């Protein structure tokens, strides 16, 4: 069967691989759509840590059940695929936090991925996608990361003021689900195309150059109730703490290899809650799917680019090197 492998940095290939073997408790799925993630671009560019080449990439997936293998599915069921493979018995897994399992593997990153014609996955990683188009189903995973960050932030209540720093796909997921939770959302981004796109989606958005202006000062007041960083920039992550009000919270959604440096006196003076948010769990996937069904997430505006399996080796390098205007590119199998 066909698959896309990142064989080395800056090299993609459409290859033939064997159909994956089906084992007890796993289900065979025909892939229909794949979202191209920022991680996929970083892998292609050669700057994603701990990645081993060559590997079939892809982890934002939707598909159709081909062989339920005795599990609670029927052939033809549309599904969203949770790409996080967990052990099931570490302390995090046992308390329902499989998203941060001690031995977590993400398909397409640490294990063979889903940019292929078929995949096999544990039955517990498949969620029925009734009422969603299969294109929209492929966008559930990245939106669930934002939904998870909001669900973890107990301080964010209806009427709260939230600041989202970074408006890439993950940041937009955070912004939409903060809005769905009833927050008044403000966004910061440095890229002109992202600023324009985020404003077009209805969010009050500022560039870094505008942060000293009176309008941002008015909205910020003494600080935001909840600040979310989704930049993956050490400079931005260190600076965003200072946008948080006393008694507020700061949630790190973006991740990068490096050291954060927070002034202890400021953290204590403000009595801040600082937390990290990683991946998502089933409740987040379900929340995203229901929000899309209810029309609360404008998926047509998020799916900005499209390609096919045959064209991925040509199109993905273009978007990797210039993501101007790209929110989410979707591959059709």
């Amino acid at each position: 069967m066909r698959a896309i492998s990142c064989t080395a940095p800056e090299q993609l290939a459409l290859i033939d691989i064997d159909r994956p073997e089906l084992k007890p408790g796993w289900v065979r799925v025909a892939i229909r759509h794949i979202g191209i993630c920022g991680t996929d671009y970083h892998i292609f560019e050669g700057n994603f840590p701990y990645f081993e080449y060559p590997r079939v990439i892809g982890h934002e997936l939707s598909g159709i059940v081909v062989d339920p293998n005795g599990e609670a599915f029927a052939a033809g069921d549309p599904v969203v695929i949770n790409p996080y493979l967990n052990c099931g018995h570490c302390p995090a897994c046992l308390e329902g936090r499989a998203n941060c399992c001690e031995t977590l593997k993400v398909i397409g990153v640490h294990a063979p991925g889903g940019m292929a014609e078929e995949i096999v996955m544990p039955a517990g990683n498949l969620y029925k996608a009734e009422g969603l188009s299969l294109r929209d189903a492929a966008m559930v995973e990245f939106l669930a990361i934002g939904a998870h960050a909001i669900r973890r932030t107990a301080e964010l209540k209806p009427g709260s003021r939230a600041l989202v720093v970074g408006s890439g796909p993950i940041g937009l997921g955070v912004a939409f689900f903060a809005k769905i939770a009833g927050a008044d959302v403000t966004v910061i981004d440095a890229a002109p195309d992202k600023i324009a796109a985020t404003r077009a989606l209805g969010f009050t958005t500022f560039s870094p150059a505008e942060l000293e202006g009176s309008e941002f000062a008015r909205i910020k007041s003494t600080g935001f109730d909840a600040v979310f960083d989704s930049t993956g920039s050490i400079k931005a992550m260190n600076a965003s703490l200072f946008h948080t009000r006393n008694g507020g919270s700061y949630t790190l959604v973006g991740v990068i290899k490096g050291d954060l440096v927070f002034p202890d006196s400021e953290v204590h003076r403000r009595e801040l809650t600082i937390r990290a948010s990683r991946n998502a769990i089933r409740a987040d996937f379900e929340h995203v799917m229901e929000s899309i069904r209810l029309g609360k997430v404008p998926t047509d505006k998020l799916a900005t680019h499209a390609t096919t399996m045959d064209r991925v080796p040509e199109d993905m390098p273009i978007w990797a090197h210039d993501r101007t205007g790209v929110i989410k590119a979707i591959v059709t199998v």
Side-chain angles (χ1 to χ4, degrees):
M1 67 178 189
R2 296 182 307 157
I4 298 291
S5 175
C6 192
T7 56
E10 300 285 338
Q11 294 183 29
L12 293 169
L14 179 63
I15 62 173
D16 285 318
I17 60 173
D18 293 335
R19 295 180 77 196
E21 292 185 12
L22 196 56
K23 48 191 173 183
W26 290 50
V27 174
R28 186 180 300 279
V29 177
I31 298 298
R32 289 292 179 262
H33 293 280
I34 308 114
I36 300 178
C37 176
T39 297
D40 298 318
Y41 294 125
H42 291 316
I43 288 169
F44 171 75
E45 292 166 332
N47 56 20
F48 193 83
Y50 312 121
F51 185 84
E52 294 182 5
Y53 300 89
R55 175 157 289 157
V56 174
I57 58 174
H59 62 273
E60 297 180 3
L61 310 168
S62 70
I64 298 291
V65 171
V66 174
D67 184 350
N69 197 27
E71 300 298 325
F73 293 92
D77 280 347
V79 290
V80 169
I81 298 172
N82 179 333
Y84 318 133
L85 301 175
N86 61 286
C87 71
H89 53 74
C90 72
C93 286
L94 292 175
E95 66 180 20
R97 300 177 65 184
N99 60 297
C100 57
C101 166
E102 291 180 6
T103 59
L104 186 77
K105 292 184 178 180
V106 181
I107 65 170
V109 181
H110 313 106
M115 202 172 285
E117 292 180 309
E118 285 188 355
I119 195 171
V120 296
M121 289 294 290
N125 285 66
L126 304 179
Y127 311 141
K128 293 183 181 180
E130 291 96 340
L132 298 184
S133 72
L134 286 167
R135 184 208 66 176
D136 287 0
M139 290 192 278
V140 170
E141 189 269 344
F142 87 83
L143 290 166
I145 293 172
H148 182 73
I150 298 304
R151 189 172 58 80
R152 275 183 50 72
T153 305
E155 298 83 4
L156 190 70
K157 300 177 175 63
S160 296
R161 293 175 307 115
L163 176 68
V164 180
V165 186
S167 63
I170 300 301
L172 288 175
V174 174
F176 276 114
F177 284 92
K179 180 180 178 181
I180 289 168
D184 183 8
V185 181
T186 301
V187 179
I188 297 173
D189 202 285
D193 65 308
K194 290 182 180 178
I195 293 170
T198 307
R199 287 174 176 165
L201 290 167
F203 295 105
T204 300
T205 308
F206 293 89
S207 71
E210 296 172 312
L211 300 186
E212 300 302 322
S214 59
E215 181 62 14
F216 183 75
R218 181 188 65 80
I219 294 172
K220 177 180 176 179
S221 185
T222 59
F224 292 89
D225 302 303
V227 175
F228 300 85
D229 187 279
S230 59
T231 64
S233 160
I234 289 291
K235 182 179 179 181
M237 294 161 89
N238 282 329
S240 295
L241 177 145
F242 294 96
H243 295 308
T244 310
R245 69 164 173 83
N246 286 28
S249 69
Y250 182 35
T251 301
L252 296 161
V253 190
V255 61
I256 195 167
K257 189 177 181 180
D259 296 328
L260 294 177
V261 181
F262 296 144
D264 179 71
S265 60
E266 282 297 314
V267 173
H268 274 82
R269 184 179 72 79
R270 300 171 192 237
E271 197 178 48
L272 294 183
T273 298
I274 300 176
R275 63 169 59 81
S277 181
R278 185 185 184 195
N279 300 328
I281 63 173
R282 180 167 191 147
D284 306 309
F285 280 77
E286 298 285 0
H287 180 34
V288 171
M289 289 191 284
E290 182 61 13
S291 297
I292 294 174
R293 292 186 191 106
L294 294 173
K296 295 182 178 181
V297 182
T299 50
D300 285 345
K301 294 181 179 179
L302 299 180
T304 55
H305 292 66
T307 189
T308 63
M309 284 271 283
D310 290 337
R311 287 193 55 85
V312 166
E314 299 173 42
D315 290 339
M316 187 172 156
I318 295 172
W319 299 326
H321 295 142
D322 182 5
R323 279 173 252 177
T324 303
V326 179
I327 297 178
K328 183 57 60 176
I330 305 288
V331 181
T332 298
V333 178

